Amino acid sequence: MTTTKDADQVGPLALGPLRAEPGTTVRGIVPADLGTLTVDVPLALVAGARPGPRVVITGGVHGGEFTGVDAAHRLAALLDAEEVRGQVLICIVANPLAAYRGRLNVSSIDGVNINRVFPGDPQGSPTERMAAWIFAQLIAGADAYLDLHSGGIDQTLRHFVGVRLTGEADVDATTVAMARAVGIEDVIFGQNAEGGNSHAAAVRQGVPAILVETSQLGERDPAVIGGLVDGLKAVLRRLGVLESDGSEPAAVREWVWSGEVASDVTGLWYPEFTAGDDVTVGQIIGRIVDPADGREHVVHAPASGNVFYGMRGLTVVPGTELAAIASAAVPGRTAESLQTPSEPEVLS
Ligand SMILES: [Zn+2]
């Protein structure tokens, strides 16, 4: 990565074999060496004609999550580098191992969920090396980062924006401003910035970052994708990359994670909710039937709140994430002061 961030200078934006001169967009492939194999990562480098921040957007960190990939592709095609302040790096399929093979959140190569291992390990498994490549080549040193996800092909999901706060006022303020600009009503605050999610690893290193979750079950609804592209442009306006249109972001609802539940048996899962449903602690939210003897295991809600994520797939094993629940943030408490008792690891 070479770039010019001097306030009065604009320079080229280069990554691997790709090089975009100021005022131009270059799209192409950058090879990532993962030790036992090399993957081709499709990227768009948008080198603004004027100075400004460097913003990184990733789609396809998980497989089977299509709206972010399509939105990233469409955004790359419509941004006019002559109108851009700063630089926008759009990684359209950030994790080809999972996005093209298997379409799952784990890679078929090594079974690793990449969004649990950021900032990665350059000496680790192929997926750990992929995370390290994404982090070193794209995220490190950026001024802002957006990671685009969906519910997986077997998951229901209510749209939301996820943020992790660090206690670093400048980083948190930009993170929250980005979250509020996307145009998605529901913003969920994590308890802390720990863990292997890409946006958590980013904020820990001082890069304001948000997780954007839209769509579910492998859907690729053009209206949802168009809304996401609009949301990305709104964030770019908020960051000063695109000219402000004078509009103010709509109000958002703030939530905190209140509980998650995973299967503790192998069997057939019959949920009695969908994402977006309110549940009360102790309520039966589904049953898991043992296909060998027909015995039924009842699953209860571990907390009250709204289900933002749910498993729709029939076959589950111990550890399969069944539901994640958030509760409304206490009115009057600022986002920066939010504390939550627990946080699921499930959402990504
Ligand atoms: Zn995901």
Side-chain angles (χ1 to χ4, degrees):
M1 171 63 61
T2 57
T3 184
T4 300
K5 296 180 70 179
D6 187 284
D8 301 320
Q9 298 286 324
V10 290
L13 175 57
L15 181 60
L18 304 181
R19 179 183 172 95
E21 298 298 330
T24 69
T25 294
V26 169
R27 295 179 70 161
I29 292 294
V30 177
D33 179 358
L34 306 183
T36 53
L37 75 166
T38 298
V39 295
D40 289 339
V41 182
L43 274 148
L45 305 182
V46 184
R50 294 171 286 176
R54 190 201 310 168
V55 181
V56 173
I57 299 170
T58 50
V61 164
H62 278 149
E65 303 181 6
F66 301 130
T67 53
V69 175
D70 200 358
H73 156 65
R74 290 169 189 270
L75 182 72
L78 68 81
L79 283 181
D80 180 352
E82 288 285 355
E83 303 294 321
V84 163
R85 293 182 182 273
Q87 300 172 328
V88 186
L89 288 79
I90 304 173
C91 190
I92 297 158
V93 181
N95 184 14
L97 292 177
Y100 286 112
R101 307 187 199 184
R103 302 193 184 114
L104 299 172
N105 59 10
V106 296
S107 166
S108 60
I109 299 290
D110 55 17
V112 174
N113 181 339
I114 194 172
N115 215 23
R116 301 293 178 273
V117 301
F118 280 97
D121 178 356
Q123 306 302 319
S125 77
T127 296
E128 291 170 327
R129 292 179 190 225
M130 189 76 243
W133 188 93
I134 293 168
F135 205 86
Q137 298 297 324
L138 301 175
I139 300 172
D143 296 300
Y145 172 52
L146 299 86
D147 191 19
L148 310 180
H149 286 251
S150 302
I153 57 177
D154 56 3
Q155 297 166 340
T156 58
L157 181 123
R158 172 179 174 171
H159 295 190
F160 70 92
V161 178
V163 301
R164 305 292 194 92
L165 302 179
T166 62
E168 295 289 330
D170 291 351
V171 175
D172 290 349
T174 301
T175 293
V176 170
M178 292 163 64
R180 289 175 174 158
V182 179
I184 292 174
E185 279 187 317
D186 297 300
V187 176
I188 308 182
F189 289 82
Q191 179 184 18
N192 54 52
E194 296 171 5
N197 295 80
S198 64
H199 66 298
V203 296
R204 287 201 300 272
Q205 296 206 12
V207 179
I210 60 172
L211 164 73
V212 183
E213 293 267 6
T214 55
S215 196
Q216 60 178 1
L217 298 169
E219 292 170 354
R220 43 182 297 183
D221 177 6
V224 172
I225 293 160
L228 179 54
V229 172
D230 289 344
L232 297 175
K233 290 165 61 183
V235 173
L236 293 176
R237 289 195 296 271
R238 182 67 183 77
L239 292 169
V241 173
L242 298 179
E243 194 83 28
S244 172
D245 63 0
S247 63
E248 289 293 320
V252 299
R253 284 185 294 258
E254 296 186 349
W255 303 77
V256 292
W257 293 115
S258 56
E260 64 172 322
V261 59
S263 178
D264 52 13
V265 297
T266 296
L268 311 181
W269 164 238
Y270 296 90
E272 298 178 13
F273 68 90
T274 192
D277 285 354
D278 285 323
V279 296
T280 303
V281 63
Q283 172 185 336
I284 294 174
I285 59 170
R287 301 161 201 274
I288 300 172
V289 174
D290 186 328
D293 60 16
R295 280 194 304 164
E296 191 175 276
H297 302 257
V298 174
V299 177
H300 300 271
S304 296
N306 193 274
V307 181
F308 273 79
Y309 152 95
M311 175 52 57
R312 179 66 63 83
L314 176 63
T315 47
V316 299
V317 296
T320 299
E321 300 150 343
L322 301 177
I325 300 164
S327 56
V330 177
R333 293 177 67 177
T334 65
E336 289 75 11
S337 70
L338 284 171
Q339 297 292 324
T340 59
S342 65
E343 178 181 20
E345 275 295 307
V346 300
L347 281 161
S348 55

